[in-house]
Every structure is written in structure tokens, then in C-alpha cells.
Amino acid sequence: MKYITRELERKFLSMSSVFKAVMVTGARQVGKSTMLKKLAEKDNRTIVSMDSSRDRELARNDPRLFFRFIGLQF
């Protein structure tokens, strides 16, 4: 399947050059995960999904541990 470039890509790349973590939210089935996976292929990026209730709970209750768990140091 051919990849569709998203308008959000430029904004995401701009924000990720300033911040260590960038959250992407939006409507279902619009290509958020596809875009992030495509961008991660180009650079050394970590993608974290908050689909898991355990991951969401850890991020909420202990953000430092959460970031260490996914391999990022803050």
C-alpha cells in the first residue's frame, strides 16, 4: 500500500526537535500510528502506544519509571 504523507508530519518533526516526548492524538483510523512508524524508520525514535491500561496507569502514577521502562531517560 502506498504511504500517504500527512500534514501533521512537519509539525511533529518540529515539536520532536524541541521536546523529548510528543503525544499524538486524534480520530480513529486517520493514520497516526502509520505516520509515527514511518517517521520512526527514518530516525532512532521510540513509539509508545497507550492502548495498554497497564502502560497508561504506570505513565500516570510514575512517569519517571514509565520512561525508564520504555528506554528513555529524563
Side-chain angles (χ1 to χ4, degrees):
M1 180 180 282
K2 183 180 179 224
Y3 177 73
I4 301 169
T5 303
R6 274 104 179 141
E7 289 292 321
L8 184 60
E9 287 182 32
R10 282 180 276 142
K11 184 73 166 180
F12 173 81
L13 292 171
S14 173
M15 292 294 104
S16 66
S17 70
V18 177
F19 299 102
K20 291 185 178 184
V22 178
M23 181 171 74
V24 177
T25 64
R28 292 177 39 109
Q29 301 295 311
V30 295
K32 298 177 301 293
S33 297
T34 301
M35 179 194 77
L36 292 172
K37 288 174 186 172
K38 182 73 170 179
L39 293 174
E41 289 175 359
K42 295 178 183 177
D43 300 318
N44 186 21
R45 298 182 185 272
T46 301
I47 300 171
V48 179
S49 170
M50 289 294 160
D51 289 341
S52 163
S53 60
R54 189 189 80 188
D55 292 348
R56 285 193 310 272
E57 197 64 28
L58 180 59
R60 182 179 297 121
N61 293 328
D62 194 342
R64 289 188 185 275
L65 179 60
F66 173 75
F67 283 115
R68 279 196 303 258
F69 174 72
I70 63 168
L72 298 176
Q73 211 57 23
F74 281 86

